[in-house]
Amino acid sequence: MTQPRPRIPEATVARLAVYLRVLTGLADGGRTTVSSGELASAAGVNPAGLRKDLSHLGPCGVRGVGYEVATLRDRIARVLGVERSRACVLVGIGNLGAALADYAGFGGRGFRFVGLFDAAPARVGQRVGGQPVRPMEELAEVVAATAASIGVIATPAEVAQSVCDRLTAAGVRSILNFAPVALVAPGDVDVRQVDLSVELQVLAFLGQQRDAGAPALPAPAVEVPA
Amino acid sequence: MTQPRPRIPEATVARLAVYLRVLTGLADGGRTTVSSGELASAAGVNPAGLRKDLSHLGPCGVRGVGYEVATLRDRIARVLGVERSRACVLVGIGNLGAALADYAGFGGRGFRFVGLFDAAPARVGQRVGGQPVRPMEELAEVVAATAASIGVIATPAEVAQSVCDRLTAAGVRSILNFAPVALVAPGDVDVRQVDLSVELQVLAFLGQQRDAGAPALPAPAVEVPA
DNA sequence: GCGACTTTGTTCCTGCGTTCACAAGCGGTT
DNA sequence: AACCGCTTGTGAACGCAGGAACAAAGTCGC
């Protein structure tokens, strides 16, 4: 009954999600097989690293040929746990929340939002992404009824912790937090933090560093023909 | 170079951005000093790691006391290049693009959008976050006029590469891509990828792993099925 | 049927990031 | 003025991720 779970590194899991997306696209395009080199280039990673990532799933390719697109896609989907659709609740239907609710990349990849919640009475009742926005009072009820295991927080930072508390109290065990605060949660709850502005600041730093120290750099920019 | 710039690890840079946000909040709250332990807890990291991160900036704390909030904040801001405001252009004003344009976390942290662009004629002319949406034809012009160094892509995946090409052609050297495709760009252009659904899939994986193996299994060392 | 080519899966190695633990330094107290 | 406790900064070890090279294995051509 147990899965092949010799512990997959988290960095590998993140890349597996990318491979899954690429493979889904290839399958929709009618491709039946793909080589590690091609897949790696489409995913933006090193071919050897890709093969190492896939090796965690056990042998799933054919030497001399490559990987069967549909088979590999299904296998990754099963390992990632997106084989069956997962119920998620989304709290905070501001600009970002509405964008997330509408984001096609979620529904198409095994996630479905079973409840959108907001504390502002003005927002409650509006329809976003085909669903009505519900008041916070219904949160526990919906989580219990749908067995939602994932909660997404897209509220202002000030209320994120209290939303987190309510989600965990309702039984949610996994939380994705877009608010720029570090949440504290019970040890058996997974919390992942996404700060949209952090990436922008890393970019600014790299740009400043490049501009400051690179002028005399050789950097003939050899092109890599794909 | 007068700058102590012996290469700061990228992971450290990302955390410095988080420290900067926490410090700004503390300063606004009137705090004058803070210890590494407290700051680390607010940022969700290990105290020793935080001190190591800060050590890249040179000594900036007082032993036995802690760090001076305002001083440390300004120092990190200078290192990250957030001291002066940076001009950014944003392409793709859909749900996500509108959320980004409105996101207060950007303007407050040294980034200002000097141009919002969309290919859909229906969107052009609308005002989002206090600015008008412009047609793609004006992209190169605006980038040249404002010396924007950062471009943000929030378009559908299909057109992201062509937008990337136009941005680089216009002179943008740093690109933040929210579209789920790996972009190819010249070697002197920094491209950073953010896939919102990847984090969700990592969460699903961790949740599945927890549910399947947590009851009493420490590490069963199971092997692959068939 | 056999050889050669292609591509996977694995192994080794190098470098980086993270953590632990300790010495150094400063403020407050007596 | 000297001691003591607190906190920083740094040095070292551990573990992990990434990259390159090699061997196994299967297919295609002759």
Side-chain angles (χ1 to χ4, degrees):
Chain A
M1 57 169 286
T2 36
Q3 302 282 351
R5 197 127 346 122
R7 216 185 74 245
I8 301 180
E10 198 171 293
T12 292
V13 173
R15 282 189 297 267
L16 285 177
V18 177
Y19 307 154
L20 177 58
R21 163 164 55 75
V22 175
L23 287 166
T24 303
L26 288 175
D28 292 347
R31 284 290 297 272
T32 58
T33 60
V34 66
S35 70
S36 67
E38 191 176 358
L39 191 53
S41 133
V45 300
N46 185 297
L50 181 137
R51 291 199 297 270
K52 178 172 289 190
D53 286 339
L54 295 184
S55 75
H56 287 106
L57 316 180
C60 47
V62 180
R63 293 168 194 245
V65 178
Y67 300 93
E68 198 174 348
V69 172
T71 307
L72 184 57
R73 173 191 45 144
D74 295 344
R75 191 161 207 169
I76 293 179
R78 186 168 64 249
V79 169
L80 289 184
V82 291
E83 201 184 19
R84 73 194 57 182
S85 158
R86 294 192 157 250
C88 312
V89 293
L90 173 59
V91 183
I93 315 298
N95 283 293
L96 179 59
L100 293 172
D102 247 356
Y103 188 34
F106 290 150
R109 269 185 265 179
F111 300 98
R112 64 175 201 281
F113 287 114
V114 297
L116 313 181
F117 300 89
D118 202 295
R123 281 244 163 69
V124 174
Q126 291 181 352
R127 293 192 77 82
V128 175
Q131 287 192 60
V133 177
R134 301 162 178 271
M136 288 298 292
E137 288 74 27
E138 299 179 10
L139 178 62
E141 177 189 338
V142 169
V143 169
T146 59
S149 58
I150 298 179
V152 180
I153 300 178
T155 66
E158 302 82 46
V159 299
Q161 181 63 57
S162 96
V163 169
C164 173
D165 295 341
R166 295 184 70 161
L167 284 169
T168 56
V172 170
R173 308 279 291 279
S174 304
I175 292 178
L176 184 60
N177 177 36
F178 285 91
V181 277
L183 298 180
V184 301
D188 62 341
V189 174
D190 286 321
V191 177
R192 291 188 72 84
Q193 178 80 25
V194 178
D195 189 328
L196 295 181
S197 73
V198 163
E199 290 293 324
L200 207 49
Q201 291 196 332
V202 173
L203 214 45
F205 171 78
L206 294 176
Q208 172 187 261
Q209 195 171 233
R210 166 164 41 69
D211 296 341
L217 208 121
V222 278
E223 286 137 0
V224 277
Chain B
M1 281 310 167
T2 65
Q3 302 285 358
R5 201 157 311 151
R7 212 187 79 245
I8 301 179
E10 196 172 295
T12 293
V13 173
R15 282 189 297 268
L16 285 177
V18 177
Y19 307 153
L20 177 58
R21 162 165 55 74
V22 176
L23 287 167
T24 303
L26 288 175
D28 291 348
R31 284 290 294 274
T32 59
T33 61
V34 65
S35 71
S36 67
E38 190 177 357
L39 191 52
S41 133
V45 301
N46 186 298
L50 181 137
R51 290 198 298 272
K52 176 154 289 199
D53 286 339
L54 295 184
S55 75
H56 288 105
L57 316 181
C60 45
V62 181
R63 296 170 192 244
V65 177
Y67 301 92
E68 198 176 347
V69 172
T71 306
L72 185 56
R73 176 196 45 162
D74 294 343
R75 190 162 208 169
I76 294 179
R78 186 167 62 248
V79 169
L80 289 183
V82 187
E83 205 182 18
R84 72 194 58 178
S85 158
R86 295 193 158 249
C88 311
V89 293
L90 173 57
V91 182
I93 315 298
N95 283 293
L96 178 59
L100 293 173
D102 248 356
Y103 188 35
F106 290 150
R109 267 185 266 179
F111 300 98
R112 64 174 202 280
F113 287 113
V114 297
L116 313 180
F117 300 89
D118 202 295
R123 282 243 163 68
V124 174
Q126 292 180 354
R127 293 191 79 82
V128 174
Q131 287 193 59
V133 178
R134 301 162 179 270
M136 288 297 292
E137 288 73 27
E138 299 180 9
L139 178 62
E141 178 188 339
V142 169
V143 169
T146 60
S149 58
I150 298 180
V152 180
I153 299 178
T155 66
E158 302 82 47
V159 299
Q161 181 62 59
S162 94
V163 168
C164 173
D165 295 340
R166 294 183 70 161
L167 284 169
T168 54
V172 170
R173 307 279 293 277
S174 303
I175 291 178
L176 184 59
N177 177 37
F178 285 92
V181 276
L183 298 179
V184 301
D188 62 340
V189 175
D190 286 322
V191 176
R192 292 188 72 85
Q193 178 80 27
V194 178
D195 190 327
L196 296 180
S197 72
V198 163
E199 289 294 324
L200 207 49
Q201 292 196 332
V202 172
L203 214 45
F205 171 79
L206 294 175
Q208 173 187 260
Q209 193 172 233
R210 166 164 43 66
D211 296 340
L217 297 177
V222 191
E223 308 313 324
V224 300

